[in-house]
Amino acid sequence: MIIYQPLQHSNLHFGDLTRALPDCSRRMLALQLEELIADHVITKTVISLRPLKTEYQLSEFGQTLSPVINAMATWELIIIRLHNRMLDTVICSNA
């Protein structure tokens, strides 16, 4: 889901993805990209220029996942709000 979101808006080079995901190591990002390519969620295009550039984009199949990913992001926000309310309740009852 984390890699999916930046690719929803545009095609990105590997360097763009590393900047968009600063907490992800280059090695882990490369492994996850390989897995998403194998699952046909994203496609990889090697542009034969010097220096060599690689561009990643959502595949047609990957684009169909958009409603699911967006629903999961919304659900995550709801859970965070509920969790914060529960913490507020516990803090207020202990005060």
Side-chain angles (χ1 to χ4, degrees):
M1 186 164 119
I2 293 171
I3 295 173
Y4 186 90
Q5 289 176 326
L7 290 170
Q8 277 185 302
H9 308 292
S10 63
N11 300 347
L12 296 174
H13 299 285
F14 187 82
D16 298 327
L17 287 167
T18 60
R19 284 186 290 281
L21 306 165
D23 295 332
C24 186
S25 72
R26 293 174 67 86
R27 172 84 175 124
M28 184 54 65
L29 178 59
L31 290 172
Q32 291 299 307
L33 288 170
E34 287 175 18
E35 188 174 321
L36 291 168
I37 291 166
D39 292 339
H40 306 285
V41 175
I42 64 172
T43 59
K44 172 183 173 179
T45 305
V46 177
I47 303 167
S48 52
L49 300 172
R50 297 262 179 212
L52 195 63
K53 291 188 177 184
T54 304
E55 185 175 78
Y56 298 91
Q57 60 274 341
L58 290 176
S59 65
E60 285 186 43
F61 171 67
Q63 291 172 13
T64 67
L65 296 172
S66 185
V68 175
I69 299 294
N70 292 334
M72 290 173 60
T74 301
W75 177 79
E76 177 186 27
L77 291 174
I78 292 167
I79 294 301
I80 289 169
R81 287 186 190 129
L82 287 172
H83 184 263
N84 287 340
R85 280 192 209 141
M86 289 182 347
L87 283 177
D88 288 344
T89 302
V90 169
I91 291 170
C92 290
S93 66
N94 288 337

